[in-house]
Amino acid sequence: MTNFQLEEFARRGGKLLEETQKNFETYKDLNIGLDKISLPKTMKPSDGAVKLVFVGQYSSGKSSIIKMLTGIETEIGAGIKTQTAHTYNWGDLEIVDTPGIHTELRPDHDEKTYYEIDHAALLIFVVTNEGFDDRMGNHFRKLAITQDRGKNMVLVVNKMDRTALGNVPEQQEIIEKDLLKVIEPFTPAQLYLTFLNTEYYFEWQTETDEELKEIYLNQSGYEKFVNNLNSFVSSRGVLSKIQSPLETLKSTITSVIGESEDLSIDRDIEAAEQLLIRRQKTLLDGKRRIRAEITEIAETLCSKIKSEGSKLAGEIAPGITEENFKRKLEAAQLQVDTYVNSYEKRIFDRLAEICDNVNQEMALIDKSQFSVNVQTNFSAPVHVPSEDERAAKMAWDIKSKSGIWENIGMTSKDAASATIPLLGGKLSSVVKDVGHFFGFKFAPWGAVNVVKSVSNVLGWIGLAMTAYQILCKFFGEDEQKKMEEELRKAREETQNSFNNIAEDIREEIISAATNKMDELTAPAFADADNKISEFRRMKQRLKELGHSLQNTLIDVQKLMDEVQQTAGT
């Protein structure tokens, strides 16, 4: 069956508007200003809905024709005394069923009917198969000729089932000749004259026999009626009324996505994500440098302490006394303490230096043109276009929405600041004071007790001294070997004690520094990771929005082209 193009185009336009409204609602949480864009509420023209006004005499079957065309159940059979003009929404179109005119029973009916006629885009004048009587003929000529409304009029002859031959060409020709007396100087073609048998149309809807269905549909006149309506709206400029809201919808969508589905704000989010990653990488590189250099310092300190142990172990030889060994042990203790204090300061000085370098690198990133551009794009003031501006192609840059920062836990003030606080405050401030950085002295740095660790060596030295004295008297070979074995054990134990202390200190330095740096930077990395994840989620959703709006834009343009082509035929 042929579709009424005006209704089809209006319905498709309404559906495209609904799709756009749904997208704006679905993605408004992105805070890119969708909630500030004024979408059309309907696809009705700015001067009101396109009206199809049915006018004619009482009992001409206007309500049945409306039902046939639209499926709308009107107030069929209402009496003259109660009948008034009724308006029915047909998508974004309006169907107006006016009271019968010139009954002389209700003169106010004519006034209401003329009001609707004045606002009609398409006037459908309905008479029965009996044609015009004097009153209806005068009324038609007043509208069509005196008031020059014939160019907006379609003339319909209804109830052709009451004729002798039915709704066939021969019967139509008879009635047409009779109508010429009234409609001249208009021709039937100029008035898109149509003959209808609505009863047959409704029979067609319920009939199951295909042959009978075809007969009913042909004699109902429905196809001819719709074709005439389509010819009317395409030739009389009615379609231009639905072009305007389509243009508005197109410009609104274009203002969001530009000329492609790649939303400009998507590129800005990607740039902000890259800035986050760059800052995160700078901090990570700083952590790696700290670990490498602290490890190197710890290794050197470890070597120094082991060297002291080696020196002390070398002092354990035949003839050494316990008192002499204690003095040398105490000297080694002092030297180890000196190393510890010296390297502790070296560690923290280097930490502060590296962190200062990291902060300088961060500052360079923040002051770079890339960073400035990112901040500018997100901190520019929001501007909502007026209707006039939208009509002038709505020159609005969607990327200027600062609300995106609120969506990732930041404020517009943050975004506009000289440095985006993506990874926390300056690191140098937390390492200038050793105590504040670690919160404690390296254990066992506060109690590096070499004396206690080597105390058991004194027992071996005592035995060695006793054996030495005995050897001086007797010089027995077995005793000499025994003494040498005890001294060897003492030297080994001394070296092992220093080695263990050195290794403990080395591991503690590396572990404490690594753990503390992780503790200090973990919130910054977690915050950056969260923001990056949010950026990526937003990019994906923006991509979905852009793709969906682009598809809608394509459909809008396609519909506009169809309307234009139809209007040009």
Side-chain angles (χ1 to χ4, degrees), residues 313-348:
E315 295 291 339
I316 302 175
I320 188 172
T321 65
E322 186 173 341
E323 291 299 321
N324 189 21
F325 179 78
K326 285 182 178 180
R327 286 195 299 271
K328 292 182 181 296
L329 177 58
E330 289 171 355
Q333 173 73 68
L334 291 174
Q335 186 59 57
V336 169
D337 287 343
T338 300
Y339 286 148
V340 166
N341 292 328
S342 173
Y343 277 79
E344 182 180 42
K345 184 177 184 304
R346 186 181 301 182
I347 286 172
F348 291 117

mmCIF file of all heavy atoms in Angstrom, residues 313-348:
data_model
loop_
_atom_site.group_PDB
_atom_site.id
_atom_site.type_symbol
_atom_site.label_atom_id
_atom_site.label_comp_id
_atom_site.label_asym_id
_atom_site.label_seq_id
_atom_site.Cartn_x
_atom_site.Cartn_y
_atom_site.Cartn_z
ATOM 1 N N ALA A 313 89.411 -9.354 61.689
ATOM 2 C CA ALA A 313 89.722 -10.779 61.677
ATOM 3 C C ALA A 313 91.213 -10.997 61.460
ATOM 4 O O ALA A 313 91.817 -11.943 62.003
ATOM 5 C CB ALA A 313 88.914 -11.469 60.576
ATOM 6 N N GLY A 314 91.842 -10.132 60.656
ATOM 7 C CA GLY A 314 93.275 -10.261 60.408
ATOM 8 C C GLY A 314 94.132 -10.007 61.624
ATOM 9 O O GLY A 314 95.303 -10.425 61.683
ATOM 10 N N GLU A 315 93.593 -9.332 62.598
ATOM 11 C CA GLU A 315 94.323 -9.044 63.835
ATOM 12 C C GLU A 315 94.364 -10.260 64.768
ATOM 13 O O GLU A 315 95.121 -10.287 65.742
ATOM 14 C CB GLU A 315 93.666 -7.870 64.572
ATOM 15 C CG GLU A 315 93.723 -6.544 63.820
ATOM 16 C CD GLU A 315 95.139 -6.000 63.738
ATOM 17 O OE1 GLU A 315 95.983 -6.396 64.555
ATOM 18 O OE2 GLU A 315 95.389 -5.175 62.831
ATOM 19 N N ILE A 316 93.515 -11.207 64.519
ATOM 20 C CA ILE A 316 93.469 -12.393 65.387
ATOM 21 C C ILE A 316 94.587 -13.338 64.951
ATOM 22 O O ILE A 316 94.481 -14.056 63.963
ATOM 23 C CB ILE A 316 92.095 -13.082 65.286
ATOM 24 C CG1 ILE A 316 90.970 -12.113 65.674
ATOM 25 C CG2 ILE A 316 92.050 -14.317 66.171
ATOM 26 C CD1 ILE A 316 89.583 -12.676 65.480
ATOM 27 N N ALA A 317 95.652 -13.293 65.694
ATOM 28 C CA ALA A 317 96.849 -14.089 65.377
ATOM 29 C C ALA A 317 97.523 -14.519 66.689
ATOM 30 O O ALA A 317 97.224 -13.964 67.763
ATOM 31 C CB ALA A 317 97.811 -13.269 64.526
ATOM 32 N N PRO A 318 98.364 -15.505 66.620
ATOM 33 C CA PRO A 318 99.053 -15.936 67.849
ATOM 34 C C PRO A 318 99.733 -14.757 68.533
ATOM 35 O O PRO A 318 100.360 -13.913 67.883
ATOM 36 C CB PRO A 318 100.079 -16.953 67.338
ATOM 37 C CG PRO A 318 99.475 -17.494 66.081
ATOM 38 C CD PRO A 318 98.788 -16.342 65.467
ATOM 39 N N GLY A 319 99.538 -14.655 69.797
ATOM 40 C CA GLY A 319 100.156 -13.596 70.585
ATOM 41 C C GLY A 319 99.208 -12.480 70.937
ATOM 42 O O GLY A 319 99.523 -11.658 71.808
ATOM 43 N N ILE A 320 98.013 -12.416 70.258
ATOM 44 C CA ILE A 320 97.075 -11.350 70.581
ATOM 45 C C ILE A 320 96.404 -11.640 71.920
ATOM 46 O O ILE A 320 96.101 -12.786 72.242
ATOM 47 C CB ILE A 320 96.013 -11.183 69.481
ATOM 48 C CG1 ILE A 320 95.150 -9.932 69.751
ATOM 49 C CG2 ILE A 320 95.107 -12.409 69.403
ATOM 50 C CD1 ILE A 320 94.218 -9.592 68.614
ATOM 51 N N THR A 321 96.221 -10.590 72.702
ATOM 52 C CA THR A 321 95.561 -10.764 74.001
ATOM 53 C C THR A 321 94.096 -10.391 73.883
ATOM 54 O O THR A 321 93.683 -9.700 72.943
ATOM 55 C CB THR A 321 96.221 -9.876 75.064
ATOM 56 O OG1 THR A 321 95.993 -8.503 74.706
ATOM 57 C CG2 THR A 321 97.713 -10.171 75.161
ATOM 58 N N GLU A 322 93.349 -10.832 74.851
ATOM 59 C CA GLU A 322 91.920 -10.522 74.849
ATOM 60 C C GLU A 322 91.682 -9.032 74.967
ATOM 61 O O GLU A 322 90.808 -8.470 74.296
ATOM 62 C CB GLU A 322 91.237 -11.268 75.997
ATOM 63 C CG GLU A 322 89.715 -11.111 75.989
ATOM 64 C CD GLU A 322 89.050 -11.977 77.029
ATOM 65 O OE1 GLU A 322 89.680 -12.935 77.499
ATOM 66 O OE2 GLU A 322 87.888 -11.694 77.345
ATOM 67 N N GLU A 323 92.474 -8.367 75.813
ATOM 68 C CA GLU A 323 92.314 -6.936 75.986
ATOM 69 C C GLU A 323 92.641 -6.184 74.713
ATOM 70 O O GLU A 323 91.949 -5.237 74.327
ATOM 71 C CB GLU A 323 93.217 -6.444 77.135
ATOM 72 C CG GLU A 323 92.784 -6.907 78.506
ATOM 73 C CD GLU A 323 91.384 -6.396 78.827
ATOM 74 O OE1 GLU A 323 91.070 -5.224 78.475
ATOM 75 O OE2 GLU A 323 90.589 -7.156 79.404
ATOM 76 N N ASN A 324 93.710 -6.636 74.056
ATOM 77 C CA ASN A 324 94.098 -5.993 72.808
ATOM 78 C C ASN A 324 93.010 -6.164 71.746
ATOM 79 O O ASN A 324 92.675 -5.247 70.985
ATOM 80 C CB ASN A 324 95.418 -6.593 72.319
ATOM 81 C CG ASN A 324 96.005 -5.818 71.142
ATOM 82 O OD1 ASN A 324 95.660 -4.663 70.938
ATOM 83 N ND2 ASN A 324 96.876 -6.451 70.401
ATOM 84 N N PHE A 325 92.436 -7.355 71.714
ATOM 85 C CA PHE A 325 91.372 -7.615 70.743
ATOM 86 C C PHE A 325 90.146 -6.743 71.029
ATOM 87 O O PHE A 325 89.507 -6.230 70.108
ATOM 88 C CB PHE A 325 90.993 -9.087 70.773
ATOM 89 C CG PHE A 325 89.876 -9.423 69.812
ATOM 90 C CD1 PHE A 325 90.127 -9.558 68.453
ATOM 91 C CD2 PHE A 325 88.549 -9.574 70.255
ATOM 92 C CE1 PHE A 325 89.107 -9.844 67.572
ATOM 93 C CE2 PHE A 325 87.537 -9.847 69.375
ATOM 94 C CZ PHE A 325 87.807 -9.995 68.023
ATOM 95 N N LYS A 326 89.825 -6.562 72.306
ATOM 96 C CA LYS A 326 88.676 -5.727 72.670
ATOM 97 C C LYS A 326 88.877 -4.294 72.190
ATOM 98 O O LYS A 326 87.942 -3.651 71.704
ATOM 99 C CB LYS A 326 88.453 -5.746 74.175
ATOM 100 C CG LYS A 326 87.834 -7.026 74.695
ATOM 101 C CD LYS A 326 87.601 -6.924 76.184
ATOM 102 C CE LYS A 326 86.939 -8.195 76.733
ATOM 103 N NZ LYS A 326 86.699 -8.113 78.179
ATOM 104 N N ARG A 327 90.107 -3.772 72.347
ATOM 105 C CA ARG A 327 90.357 -2.406 71.894
ATOM 106 C C ARG A 327 90.191 -2.300 70.378
ATOM 107 O O ARG A 327 89.605 -1.341 69.870
ATOM 108 C CB ARG A 327 91.780 -1.979 72.299
ATOM 109 C CG ARG A 327 91.926 -1.687 73.787
ATOM 110 C CD ARG A 327 93.210 -0.945 74.064
ATOM 111 N NE ARG A 327 94.374 -1.731 73.666
ATOM 112 C CZ ARG A 327 94.996 -2.596 74.459
ATOM 113 N NH1 ARG A 327 94.547 -2.812 75.677
ATOM 114 N NH2 ARG A 327 96.056 -3.274 74.037
ATOM 115 N N LYS A 328 90.696 -3.284 69.649
ATOM 116 C CA LYS A 328 90.558 -3.258 68.202
ATOM 117 C C LYS A 328 89.093 -3.428 67.762
ATOM 118 O O LYS A 328 88.638 -2.849 66.767
ATOM 119 C CB LYS A 328 91.424 -4.352 67.576
ATOM 120 C CG LYS A 328 92.923 -4.089 67.726
ATOM 121 C CD LYS A 328 93.740 -5.166 67.047
ATOM 122 C CE LYS A 328 95.241 -4.881 67.228
ATOM 123 N NZ LYS A 328 95.644 -3.625 66.562
ATOM 124 N N LEU A 329 88.379 -4.230 68.545
ATOM 125 C CA LEU A 329 86.959 -4.414 68.251
ATOM 126 C C LEU A 329 86.186 -3.114 68.455
ATOM 127 O O LEU A 329 85.315 -2.744 67.653
ATOM 128 C CB LEU A 329 86.382 -5.520 69.134
ATOM 129 C CG LEU A 329 84.873 -5.802 69.005
ATOM 130 C CD1 LEU A 329 84.522 -6.160 67.564
ATOM 131 C CD2 LEU A 329 84.467 -6.924 69.956
ATOM 132 N N GLU A 330 86.504 -2.408 69.523
ATOM 133 C CA GLU A 330 85.840 -1.133 69.788
ATOM 134 C C GLU A 330 86.171 -0.113 68.696
ATOM 135 O O GLU A 330 85.326 0.691 68.293
ATOM 136 C CB GLU A 330 86.243 -0.607 71.157
ATOM 137 C CG GLU A 330 85.641 -1.425 72.305
ATOM 138 C CD GLU A 330 86.221 -1.032 73.659
ATOM 139 O OE1 GLU A 330 87.154 -0.187 73.673
ATOM 140 O OE2 GLU A 330 85.747 -1.563 74.681
ATOM 141 N N ALA A 331 87.404 -0.150 68.209
ATOM 142 C CA ALA A 331 87.789 0.754 67.127
ATOM 143 C C ALA A 331 87.007 0.421 65.850
ATOM 144 O O ALA A 331 86.563 1.318 65.110
ATOM 145 C CB ALA A 331 89.307 0.642 66.861
ATOM 146 N N ALA A 332 86.826 -0.867 65.624
ATOM 147 C CA ALA A 332 86.031 -1.277 64.458
ATOM 148 C C ALA A 332 84.583 -0.829 64.601
ATOM 149 O O ALA A 332 83.932 -0.408 63.637
ATOM 150 C CB ALA A 332 86.103 -2.787 64.284
ATOM 151 N N GLN A 333 84.095 -0.922 65.850
ATOM 152 C CA GLN A 333 82.726 -0.458 66.116
ATOM 153 C C GLN A 333 82.580 1.026 65.780
ATOM 154 O O GLN A 333 81.617 1.439 65.120
ATOM 155 C CB GLN A 333 82.378 -0.696 67.586
ATOM 156 C CG GLN A 333 81.028 -0.107 68.022
ATOM 157 C CD GLN A 333 79.837 -0.880 67.486
ATOM 158 O OE1 GLN A 333 79.629 -2.010 67.891
ATOM 159 N NE2 GLN A 333 79.076 -0.297 66.572
ATOM 160 N N LEU A 334 83.528 1.830 66.194
ATOM 161 C CA LEU A 334 83.485 3.262 65.914
ATOM 162 C C LEU A 334 83.535 3.525 64.403
ATOM 163 O O LEU A 334 82.839 4.415 63.891
ATOM 164 C CB LEU A 334 84.644 3.982 66.611
ATOM 165 C CG LEU A 334 84.551 4.048 68.141
ATOM 166 C CD1 LEU A 334 85.827 4.652 68.723
ATOM 167 C CD2 LEU A 334 83.334 4.878 68.569
ATOM 168 N N GLN A 335 84.368 2.755 63.711
ATOM 169 C CA GLN A 335 84.485 2.947 62.271
ATOM 170 C C GLN A 335 83.180 2.580 61.555
ATOM 171 O O GLN A 335 82.731 3.276 60.634
ATOM 172 C CB GLN A 335 85.630 2.097 61.716
ATOM 173 C CG GLN A 335 85.928 2.347 60.235
ATOM 174 C CD GLN A 335 86.301 3.783 59.958
ATOM 175 O OE1 GLN A 335 87.254 4.319 60.552
ATOM 176 N NE2 GLN A 335 85.543 4.441 59.088
ATOM 177 N N VAL A 336 82.572 1.497 62.010
ATOM 178 C CA VAL A 336 81.284 1.106 61.422
ATOM 179 C C VAL A 336 80.242 2.185 61.671
ATOM 180 O O VAL A 336 79.463 2.555 60.776
ATOM 181 C CB VAL A 336 80.819 -0.250 61.984
ATOM 182 C CG1 VAL A 336 79.360 -0.527 61.586
ATOM 183 C CG2 VAL A 336 81.716 -1.371 61.483
ATOM 184 N N ASP A 337 80.223 2.727 62.901
ATOM 185 C CA ASP A 337 79.270 3.800 63.211
ATOM 186 C C ASP A 337 79.508 5.007 62.303
ATOM 187 O O ASP A 337 78.558 5.656 61.832
ATOM 188 C CB ASP A 337 79.401 4.218 64.672
ATOM 189 C CG ASP A 337 78.837 3.172 65.624
ATOM 190 O OD1 ASP A 337 78.069 2.305 65.146
ATOM 191 O OD2 ASP A 337 79.163 3.221 66.815
ATOM 192 N N THR A 338 80.765 5.300 62.075
ATOM 193 C CA THR A 338 81.106 6.432 61.189
ATOM 194 C C THR A 338 80.597 6.183 59.782
ATOM 195 O O THR A 338 80.007 7.060 59.145
ATOM 196 C CB THR A 338 82.624 6.649 61.160
ATOM 197 O OG1 THR A 338 83.090 6.928 62.481
ATOM 198 C CG2 THR A 338 82.985 7.812 60.237
ATOM 199 N N TYR A 339 80.806 4.963 59.291
ATOM 200 C CA TYR A 339 80.314 4.611 57.961
ATOM 201 C C TYR A 339 78.783 4.735 57.894
ATOM 202 O O TYR A 339 78.219 5.298 56.951
ATOM 203 C CB TYR A 339 80.707 3.170 57.606
ATOM 204 C CG TYR A 339 82.168 2.980 57.269
ATOM 205 C CD1 TYR A 339 82.816 1.778 57.574
ATOM 206 C CD2 TYR A 339 82.897 3.975 56.633
ATOM 207 C CE1 TYR A 339 84.151 1.581 57.266
ATOM 208 C CE2 TYR A 339 84.242 3.785 56.321
ATOM 209 C CZ TYR A 339 84.859 2.587 56.640
ATOM 210 O OH TYR A 339 86.169 2.394 56.320
ATOM 211 N N VAL A 340 78.137 4.188 58.909
ATOM 212 C CA VAL A 340 76.669 4.190 58.938
ATOM 213 C C VAL A 340 76.134 5.617 58.893
ATOM 214 O O VAL A 340 75.243 5.945 58.098
ATOM 215 C CB VAL A 340 76.146 3.446 60.173
ATOM 216 C CG1 VAL A 340 74.668 3.734 60.390
ATOM 217 C CG2 VAL A 340 76.369 1.952 60.038
ATOM 218 N N ASN A 341 76.677 6.472 59.776
ATOM 219 C CA ASN A 341 76.191 7.852 59.823
ATOM 220 C C ASN A 341 76.473 8.589 58.518
ATOM 221 O O ASN A 341 75.639 9.350 58.015
ATOM 222 C CB ASN A 341 76.838 8.604 60.984
ATOM 223 C CG ASN A 341 76.360 8.076 62.329
ATOM 224 O OD1 ASN A 341 75.217 7.628 62.445
ATOM 225 N ND2 ASN A 341 77.220 8.114 63.336
ATOM 226 N N SER A 342 77.653 8.364 57.980
ATOM 227 C CA SER A 342 78.046 9.035 56.740
ATOM 228 C C SER A 342 77.170 8.594 55.586
ATOM 229 O O SER A 342 76.675 9.424 54.803
ATOM 230 C CB SER A 342 79.515 8.739 56.429
ATOM 231 O OG SER A 342 79.862 9.238 55.169
ATOM 232 N N TYR A 343 76.943 7.298 55.462
ATOM 233 C CA TYR A 343 76.164 6.791 54.333
ATOM 234 C C TYR A 343 74.670 7.058 54.512
ATOM 235 O O TYR A 343 73.936 7.181 53.537
ATOM 236 C CB TYR A 343 76.439 5.300 54.124
ATOM 237 C CG TYR A 343 77.693 5.066 53.322
ATOM 238 C CD1 TYR A 343 78.952 5.149 53.918
ATOM 239 C CD2 TYR A 343 77.628 4.796 51.973
ATOM 240 C CE1 TYR A 343 80.107 4.954 53.190
ATOM 241 C CE2 TYR A 343 78.774 4.600 51.219
ATOM 242 C CZ TYR A 343 80.023 4.673 51.835
ATOM 243 O OH TYR A 343 81.160 4.499 51.096
ATOM 244 N N GLU A 344 74.229 7.136 55.764
ATOM 245 C CA GLU A 344 72.839 7.508 56.000
ATOM 246 C C GLU A 344 72.573 8.900 55.453
ATOM 247 O O GLU A 344 71.586 9.137 54.737
ATOM 248 C CB GLU A 344 72.535 7.465 57.497
ATOM 249 C CG GLU A 344 71.079 7.789 57.834
ATOM 250 C CD GLU A 344 70.837 7.743 59.322
ATOM 251 O OE1 GLU A 344 71.690 8.233 60.074
ATOM 252 O OE2 GLU A 344 69.800 7.217 59.714
ATOM 253 N N LYS A 345 73.462 9.831 55.760
ATOM 254 C CA LYS A 345 73.314 11.193 55.247
ATOM 255 C C LYS A 345 73.413 11.205 53.715
ATOM 256 O O LYS A 345 72.660 11.904 53.035
ATOM 257 C CB LYS A 345 74.389 12.097 55.827
ATOM 258 C CG LYS A 345 74.259 13.569 55.422
ATOM 259 C CD LYS A 345 75.303 14.412 56.085
ATOM 260 C CE LYS A 345 75.084 15.888 55.734
ATOM 261 N NZ LYS A 345 75.061 16.164 54.310
ATOM 262 N N ARG A 346 74.351 10.406 53.175
ATOM 263 C CA ARG A 346 74.506 10.352 51.727
ATOM 264 C C ARG A 346 73.218 9.848 51.063
ATOM 265 O O ARG A 346 72.798 10.346 50.013
ATOM 266 C CB ARG A 346 75.674 9.437 51.366
ATOM 267 C CG ARG A 346 76.001 9.425 49.875
ATOM 268 C CD ARG A 346 77.142 8.492 49.556
ATOM 269 N NE ARG A 346 78.358 8.838 50.270
ATOM 270 C CZ ARG A 346 79.514 8.186 50.135
ATOM 271 N NH1 ARG A 346 79.586 7.145 49.315
ATOM 272 N NH2 ARG A 346 80.582 8.554 50.822
ATOM 273 N N ILE A 347 72.602 8.850 51.689
ATOM 274 C CA ILE A 347 71.360 8.294 51.139
ATOM 275 C C ILE A 347 70.273 9.363 51.069
ATOM 276 O O ILE A 347 69.636 9.564 50.033
ATOM 277 C CB ILE A 347 70.876 7.096 51.985
ATOM 278 C CG1 ILE A 347 71.764 5.875 51.706
ATOM 279 C CG2 ILE A 347 69.412 6.772 51.685
ATOM 280 C CD1 ILE A 347 71.487 4.717 52.637
ATOM 281 N N PHE A 348 70.070 10.068 52.167
ATOM 282 C CA PHE A 348 68.982 11.036 52.196
ATOM 283 C C PHE A 348 69.277 12.262 51.346
ATOM 284 O O PHE A 348 68.370 12.843 50.756
ATOM 285 C CB PHE A 348 68.657 11.419 53.630
ATOM 286 C CG PHE A 348 68.041 10.291 54.399
ATOM 287 C CD1 PHE A 348 68.663 9.752 55.506
ATOM 288 C CD2 PHE A 348 66.839 9.744 53.988
ATOM 289 C CE1 PHE A 348 68.105 8.697 56.196
ATOM 290 C CE2 PHE A 348 66.269 8.683 54.686
ATOM 291 C CZ PHE A 348 66.905 8.154 55.784
#
